[in-house]
Amino acid sequence: MTRTRTRNGTRTRTGIRTSAAGLGSSGRRSRHVWADLLLRSWRLDRRNSLIVLLFMLADSAALVLSGYGLRSLVNSALSADGRGTLLSACATGTAYSVMLLIGRVQMEIRLDLADRVGMYQVDAEIQRLVSGLDTIEHLERSEYLDRINRLRGKGQLMCESGWAVLDAAANGLRVLVTLGLLATVQPALLLLAVLAVPALLLNGVGQRVVTRAAEQASGDDRAERELFELTTRSGPAKELRVLGSGDGVDRLADEAWQRSSRRMIEAYWRSALLGGAGWGTFVLGLAAVLGVVIGMVADGSRSIGDVVLVVAMATTLRAQFERVAWSLSRLQAGMVAVEPFLWLHAYAAPDTPLDGAPVAATTLPTRLEQGIALEEVSFAYPGTDREVLRGVTVALPAGAMVAVVGEHGSGKTTLVKLLCKLYEPTSGHIAVDGAPLSGLDAAAWRTLCSGAFQDFGRYAVTLGEAVGIGEPAFMGDDERVLAALAEAEAGPMLAGLPEGLETPLGPSGTDLSEGQWQRVALARAAMRREPLLFVLDEPTASLDPPTEHAVFTRHAEHARALGAATGAVTVVVTHRFTTVRMADLILVLRDGRLTESGTHQSLLALGGTYADLYQLQEAAYAATPS
């Protein structure tokens, strides 16, 4: 279960246990999930759900009729009772026809219900949970991604496993009916049920072997899919072709697939051998029982009809036990998805402190008067012990443009993630105008944030939509979208697109260059007119120097305007020092620590890390031929 703890006034997610035991009473919770899935089917289509339930009961009644009818048919035929033979034949034929028809119709209705509930409700719910979480930890940790991968497209399987619970119960009822019919011939025949126990137990062991293998193979499955996607996207495809690495990536994908397949094939073989051993025991016991009944016919204590009844019911009993085993296997297959589904719900549950005390919500500010302050902020990514940020204390004044510089891995992007509440600090705290950021609802705080990130999205929609989603309420406002494109110096790009704002982007439309995609991301960030926090994380990495300078100049003006209007803080993360001098405050990070802070001139005068890096980069630019 997700828990939170308070450290120096900061609420932090302490992580989720990675074993099924971490879910608490997993069996009880699984039953709750299956009950919920069946209830969803009932709410979606009560008529068809009721038909399935009635058919399950009718199948058991038809089974009783078929058994008695078959015995009566044989006995009537042997005694030359024409009328009795005809009636028994009609009853038996009707019973078998009903069972055959009911079985097929019931299965079709169940699959239809499972498809509709799984696709339109469960898969959609999984998507909402994954995309609606406050933080992005689940998208950056491999063990969490593996669990999410096991949920991909599994809504139908989960719903089918819910019906499998009822199917197993209905087949259990039919087993009792069959045993009752056999007991009318000889009570000792009830021992057939005992002989089926090893088969069911071994079958369950086999299914658990398959389930564990699926869990262990999920990492290779995800790796194979991601490697395959690399070879089918235009961006990586250029690199792969120039380097001649396509075959190497294909080989890595094939190796991942082979590892996954070998693991699953081995598991299926073990499951089949275990099941075969169990059913072999049952067949040997059945042969012995038939020998006993035939002996009873020979001494005259039972009729030929009883023999036929025993043969038919014993064969039916085996089929019923196999159906129970099949239902349990579908149930077990559903568990592959049910367990991560429970984990996802637990992970997505609202954070609460260990002492159970509610965290007081902070009223959202409409403008910043003081700014954003960090006090002894440290952060280590969950699952690691290495702190990416260590003891950062700094004030970001209201209305200021703040530049964050430093070498790769110094913690610049991590700082931005904390400011946007994509993670919570592991120690220390962040305050907005003196109020703790941890007390603000994450979704509400982000309505006051905007920005562009270095790993920006490339949305396969129209240009207008790709920009407009930066402020969903104004997605269809062409005037606002055009203004945002102008803010990102994207006018020439727009003029070159065949259908303007209606131009489809991506592989199925117009695939933009890296620099053009970055302009779209910058325009998307400019859609929100009055954010209190405006973040630009390496916003011009794919732009040429003149365009970069123009974009930074425009954003510096934008930052001044925002600062005057709302006291907004603009945070720019960059490796390029040529435009940093525009900032009001420059932060220098090194190995996760804030080593220097000040204006461009004051940091040059200090003669420290910033001065060295600036002069090194300035010399490199000066040495570059024009």
Side-chain angles (χ1 to χ4, degrees), residues 569-590:
V569 173
T570 298
V571 178
V572 180
V573 176
T574 182
H575 286 95
R576 298 180 182 179
F577 285 70
T578 53
T579 52
V580 167
R581 66 177 69 192
M582 301 179 190
D584 303 304
L585 175 65
I586 300 170
L587 308 181
V588 182
L589 292 177
R590 185 169 186 175

Side-chain angles (χ1 to χ4, degrees), residues 22 28 79 120 138 184 191 211 231 303 355 360 430 461 480 591 611:
R28 180 179 60 80
S79 62
Y120 297 122
H138 62 296
T184 63
L191 290 174
T211 299
T231 65
S303 67
D355 59 9
I430 303 173
V461 293
R480 190 152 177 165
D591 295 329

Side-chain angles (χ1 to χ4, degrees), residues 10-27:
T10 299
R11 301 172 65 240
T12 63
R13 186 184 293 272
T14 59
I16 309 300
R17 300 175 187 173
T18 57
S19 68
L23 298 173
S25 179
S26 60

Side-chain angles (χ1 to χ4, degrees), residues 5 7 378-390 426:
R5 51 185 168 153
R7 183 192 294 174
S378 297
F379 179 77
Y381 282 98
T384 68
D385 295 325
R386 188 177 72 86
E387 288 188 326
V388 184
L389 289 177
R390 291 179 285 177
T426 51

Side-chain angles (χ1 to χ4, degrees), residues 6 89 94 135 142 156 179 230 309 328 340 348 351 355 378 397 428 434 453 486 578 596:
T6 301
T94 300
T135 69
S142 60
Q156 188 271 345
L179 290 172
L230 281 178
L309 174 65
L328 293 176
D351 287 342
D355 59 9
S378 297
F453 297 85
T578 53
E596 300 172 18

Side-chain angles (χ1 to χ4, degrees), residues 118-171:
M119 181 181 298
Y120 297 122
Q121 294 187 21
V122 179
D123 285 341
E125 180 179 327
I126 291 169
Q127 180 66 30
R128 285 195 302 272
L129 288 172
V130 171
S131 62
L133 287 165
D134 288 344
T135 69
I136 58 173
E137 178 184 350
H138 62 296
L139 301 177
E140 295 187 336
R141 292 186 63 175
S142 60
E143 64 267 35
Y144 291 178
L145 285 173
D146 289 344
R147 284 180 163 178
I148 293 171
N149 181 62
R150 298 209 305 272
L151 283 173
R152 188 185 299 270
K154 293 299 193 297
Q156 188 271 345
L157 177 61
M158 289 172 60
C159 293
E160 186 183 338
S161 72
W163 282 108
V165 174
L166 282 184
D167 192 55
N171 275 293

Side-chain angles (χ1 to χ4, degrees), residues 366-394:
T366 56
R367 63 172 289 118
L368 293 181
E369 301 294 343
Q370 304 169 33
I372 302 173
L374 293 81
E375 182 177 344
E376 290 296 323
V377 170
S378 297
F379 179 77
Y381 282 98
T384 68
D385 295 325
R386 188 177 72 86
E387 288 188 326
V388 184
L389 289 177
R390 291 179 285 177
V392 175
T393 297
V394 67

